[in-house]
Amino acid sequence: MKKTAYYEVMAGNKTGHIIGSKVLVDGVGIGVITFVLALVLEAVVVIKNGTGGVSELPARVFLFFVICLHIMLLTVFVGLAVKHFAAAAVLFLRIQLLDMTPAFLVPMLAEKLEMSEETAMRILRLTLSQQIMDVFRADITSELVIITVGSLAAEAALWYGIAYVTMKKKMYR
């Protein structure tokens, strides 16, 4: 992937177009495949047994698609931004620090800071792990939809900027 991007830069393609093609092929393409494969078992169960009282099924499927897309785009952007084996470490640290740790820290901090449970839950909903849990068990509210789609947009914009800067500086090896 590094050498392909390097040759694309050498061929005179614009950095934004290179990133866009990687996002469409590697991020969106594989994200859709992942989403479809993740839903195959659930689709079979729903076809055989019905929804089991699950409400707002289309909204849940849409939000799950957004989460799958978020994960795949994050992976592509981190891979483009960090040109070394360290990309895996960066992605792991991102998941650990921004997804797993708040699940333990926010309830403790909420208790010490006398924060309402609603505020603590809003903070937790910014994490991918909480979004996945909410999509499958909580009521679908406009707040959940906005947070899920907004976190995808914000993180994609952040990592796009980082990938753009590193590719613009041509940090290839």
Side-chain angles (χ1 to χ4, degrees):
M1 191 161 141
K2 288 184 281 185
K3 291 181 178 161
T4 304
Y6 179 68
Y7 289 124
E8 287 175 338
V9 169
M10 285 177 51
N13 294 319
K14 294 182 180 177
T15 305
H17 294 159
I18 296 169
I19 295 173
S21 76
K22 300 284 185 222
V23 164
L24 283 176
V25 173
D26 297 337
V28 176
I30 295 173
V32 168
I33 291 168
T34 303
F35 168 73
V36 169
L37 291 176
L39 283 184
V40 167
L41 178 62
E42 288 80 3
V44 169
V45 170
V46 166
I47 289 169
K48 185 174 191 252
N49 298 333
T51 60
V54 175
S55 62
E56 303 158 335
L57 195 59
R60 292 179 193 281
V61 170
F62 168 74
L63 290 177
F64 184 63
F65 173 73
V66 169
I67 291 169
C68 287
L69 191 61
H70 188 155
I71 293 167
M72 296 312 296
L73 290 179
L74 176 65
T75 305
V76 170
F77 283 134
V78 170
L80 287 171
V82 183
K83 304 292 186 255
H84 305 285
F85 181 70
V90 169
L91 187 59
F92 176 76
L93 289 175
R94 183 254 172 241
I95 289 170
Q96 284 294 94
L97 295 175
L98 296 178
D99 279 338
M100 305 305 266
T101 307
F104 299 107
L105 290 181
V106 170
M108 290 187 313
L109 289 174
E111 198 174 292
K112 291 194 186 253
L113 299 174
E114 298 177 6
M115 188 185 310
S116 70
E117 187 175 325
E118 184 177 310
T119 304
M121 191 51 133
R122 282 189 177 141
I123 293 170
L124 279 177
R125 280 195 172 141
L126 294 172
T127 65
L128 278 171
S129 55
Q130 186 65 41
Q131 289 172 5
I132 291 170
M133 287 190 282
D134 286 348
V135 163
F136 291 112
R137 68 174 187 192
D139 292 331
I140 303 296
T141 62
S142 59
E143 178 184 343
L144 178 61
V145 173
I146 290 169
I147 287 175
T148 304
V149 174
S151 67
L152 165 65
E155 195 160 25
L158 170 74
W159 281 102
Y160 176 87
I162 293 169
Y164 187 86
V165 168
T166 58
M167 287 184 78
K168 204 66 170 162
K169 290 184 177 181
K170 297 179 178 117
M171 295 181 188
Y172 298 101
R173 294 187 178 163

